[in-house]
Amino acid sequence: WFFLYWKSWFIIQEVRKEQRMKKKSCWILVGLMVIFIFSNSAASASTSNGMSLTVSEWVRPVLNTVGLHPETDFLNFVIRKLAHFSEYALLGVLIGLAYRLQPWSWMKGKVALLPFFIIPVLDENLQRFSSGRSSSPRTSMSFQGAAASCGIC
């Protein structure tokens, strides 16, 4: 009996250790994604616009082959919004994975929503201090929250 007890205790400890590593890995990925989002928000308007225009140049031939010929400014706008949406959707996926690895409780459910309010507020305030950029907190934060919600579902 002692051997069975010892072996089961050892297996349980290994499983717990593996779960702790998964939790840490998920939260590290969340942190890296937040850094990525904030670094994009800290970029100047000309740098950000240059990145969007580069992607627009890659996308334009594909759109032309299907018969769509959008204006450069409109395509650049759509690409910027899609990039922003996908950043926050990926953040939602990562936060959702991190919280799924933890035991559920209603308090943790409420705490799980905090990053979706705090990160967009910090992101919009960071844009205020970036050269040539402006922030529109009400519109952008609702857009970012919707993107993160899509990601977490």
Side-chain angles (χ1 to χ4, degrees):
W1 292 101
F2 176 75
F3 176 73
L4 289 174
Y5 173 77
W6 178 79
K7 189 171 181 169
S8 63
W9 181 84
F10 181 73
I11 291 170
I12 289 169
Q13 294 306 315
E14 286 298 313
V15 168
R16 287 180 180 166
K17 183 178 178 182
E18 185 178 315
Q19 287 175 341
R20 283 192 303 269
M21 288 300 294
K22 284 181 182 178
K23 283 184 208 176
K24 287 179 184 177
S25 299
C26 282
W27 285 112
I28 288 171
L29 289 174
V30 167
L32 290 173
M33 190 64 200
V34 170
I35 290 169
F36 177 74
I37 289 171
F38 286 173
S39 67
N40 284 339
S41 293
S44 67
S46 59
T47 303
S48 179
N49 197 35
M51 288 190 289
S52 301
L53 287 173
T54 301
V55 174
S56 296
E57 290 172 7
W58 295 342
V59 172
R60 184 175 296 285
V62 175
L63 293 176
N64 288 342
T65 59
V66 295
L68 298 174
H69 306 286
E71 294 180 15
T72 303
D73 291 338
F74 178 73
L75 181 59
N76 191 27
F77 173 78
V78 169
I79 286 182
R80 290 171 72 89
K81 293 302 169 190
L82 285 174
H84 210 57
F85 187 88
S86 37
E87 283 176 340
Y88 275 89
L90 181 57
L91 180 65
V93 167
L94 294 174
I95 290 174
L97 286 174
Y99 276 115
R100 282 188 186 110
L101 293 172
Q102 297 179 3
W104 176 255
S105 73
W106 283 107
M107 187 59 190
K108 286 184 182 177
K110 293 175 186 175
V111 171
L113 297 175
L114 282 178
F116 299 115
F117 295 108
I118 294 171
I119 294 170
V121 167
L122 293 173
D123 185 34
E124 288 303 312
N125 284 316
L126 181 61
Q127 283 186 16
R128 286 183 178 177
F129 301 108
S130 302
S131 85
R133 307 269 309 256
S134 63
S135 74
S136 53
R138 191 174 298 157
T139 307
S140 292
M141 289 186 330
S142 59
F143 180 74
Q144 292 159 351
S149 297
C150 287
I152 203 167
C153 289

